[in-house]
C-alpha cells in the first residue's frame, strides 16, 4: 500500500494476556518508529529501528514490552502480561532515514484496550 | 531529555480568522520542529516543519516561526476553514540522535461557521 499499515486497528484483551501489534511501513523506508498515545495526550516515543536493529529502545516502559523487525521491513510490538495501564493507541511511523528529511509518516494506529 | 510544552489546549475561532498555537522546548540541541495535524481516528500527518537554521517558513495559509534563543516556535494558520478543525501537535527532535520526536500535548482547534 501507499501508506503505513497497522493491524489490528482495534484489540480488546484481558489483563495478563499477551498481544502483538503489527506495522507494515512504507516500502523502502529504513527507519521505523513506535509511539504510544494515551487519550488527550501527544504521542510518546517507545522505540525505533534503523534496518533490522533497534537503534534506541529507551522509551519502552518496562521489560513487558518488546519489538522486533527481523527483515528490516515489517515490525511487531509485543506486550506480555498486559495491564490496564497499557490501554492506548499504538502508532507506528516510518521514514527514509533518521536524519535525511526528518518527516515521519504515521499509520492510523492500533487501539489497545485492556479490560 | 527534551520537554515540549504547548498552548493553548483548546482554541475556537470563527471561519476566516487566524489561529496561533505556541510551543516551547527545553533541549538546545533540538534542531527539527515539525507540526502535525491529527483528525479523529487517524494518525498524525505532517503539515509543516522548520529546521533550526531558518527563522520562518510559510506554505500557503500555514506558517511557522522559530526563535532559537528563546526556545519558542509557533504555528500560524490564516483564513481558517472548517476543515482545519483537528488536533495539532508540535514536536521537537535532534536529527543526529535518531530523530526521536518529543511531542507537545496538543491543541484542539475548532473553526466555527
Amino acid at each position: 500500500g501507499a501508506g503505513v499499515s497497522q493491524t489490528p486497528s482495534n484489540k480488546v484483551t484481558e489483563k495478563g494476556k499477551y498481544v502483538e501489534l503489527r506495522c507494515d511501513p512504507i516500502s523502502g523506508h529504513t527507519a521505523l518508529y513506535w509511539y504510544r498515545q494515551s487519550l488527550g495526550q501527544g504521542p510518546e516515543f517507545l522505540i525505533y529501528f534503523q534496518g533490522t536493529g533497534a537503534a534506541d529502545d529507551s522509551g519502552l516502559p518496562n521489560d513487558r514490552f518488546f519489538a522486533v523487525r527481523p527483515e528490516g521491513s515489517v515490525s511487531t510490538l509485543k506486550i506480555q502480561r498486559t495491564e490496564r495501564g497499557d490501554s492506548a493507541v499504538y502508532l507506528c511511523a516510518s521514514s527514509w532515514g533518521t536524519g535525511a528529511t526528518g518527516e515521519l509518516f504515521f499509520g492510523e494506529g492500533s487501539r489497545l484496550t485492556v479490560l | 531529555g527534551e520537554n515540549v510544552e504547548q498552548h493553548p489546549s483548546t482554541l475556537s475561532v470563527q471561519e476566516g480568522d487566524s489561529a496561533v498555537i505556541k510551543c516551547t522546548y527545553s533541549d538546545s540541541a533540538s534542531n527539527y520542529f515539525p507540526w502535525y495535524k491529527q483528525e479523529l481516528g487517524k494518525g498524525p500527518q505532517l503539515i509543516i516543519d522548520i529546521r533550526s537554521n531558518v527563522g520562518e517558513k510559510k506554505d500557503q495559509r500555514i506558517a511557522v516561526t522559530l526563535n532559537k534563543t528563546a526556545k519558542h516556535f509557533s504555528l500560524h494558520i490564516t483564513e481558517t476553514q472548517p476543515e482545519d478543525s483537528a488536533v495539532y501537535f508540535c514536536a521537537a527532535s535532534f536529527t543526529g540522535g535518531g530523530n526521536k520526536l518529543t511531542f507537545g500535548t496538543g491543541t484542539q482547534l475548532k473553526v466555527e461557521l
Side-chain angles (χ1 to χ4, degrees), chain B:
Chain B
E2 176 65 277
N3 181 53
V4 177
E5 296 190 354
Q6 182 171 348
H7 301 280
S9 56
T10 61
L11 180 59
S12 184
V13 300
Q14 294 293 314
E15 183 181 10
D17 286 351
S18 295
V20 180
I21 302 170
K22 298 182 178 182
C23 290
T24 61
Y25 63 99
S26 62
D27 189 347
S28 57
S30 290
N31 60 357
Y32 177 63
F33 307 92
W35 288 86
Y36 283 82
K37 176 182 181 181
Q38 187 172 30
E39 297 177 335
L40 197 62
K42 304 289 187 182
Q45 183 175 18
L46 180 74
I47 56 171
I48 195 168
D49 57 13
I50 191 168
R51 297 181 188 274
S52 59
N53 57 348
V54 176
E56 183 172 357
K57 184 177 178 180
K58 188 174 182 180
D59 182 3
Q60 298 181 10
R61 296 186 297 109
I62 295 172
V64 59
T65 59
L66 171 65
N67 182 330
K68 281 196 65 179
T69 302
K71 298 194 186 75
H72 290 173
F73 57 116
S74 301
L75 177 71
H76 304 252
I77 306 174
T78 59
E79 301 171 19
T80 53
Q81 301 167 2
E83 52 265 39
D84 294 330
S85 296
V87 179
Y88 291 81
F89 291 98
C90 61
S93 75
F94 172 56
T95 55
N99 200 19
K100 300 180 300 181
L101 295 176
T102 299
F103 284 84
T105 49
T107 296
Q108 174 76 60
L109 174 64
K110 183 177 181 181
V111 180
E112 299 177 335
L113 295 172

Side-chain angles (χ1 to χ4, degrees), chain A residues 33 35 37 48 56 98 101-102, chain B residues 36 38 43 51 98-101:
Chain A
Y33 302 77
Y35 284 79
Q37 186 173 25
Y48 96 89
D56 188 330
T98 56
T101 67
Chain B
Y36 283 82
Q38 187 172 30
R51 297 181 188 274
N99 200 19
K100 300 180 300 181
L101 295 176

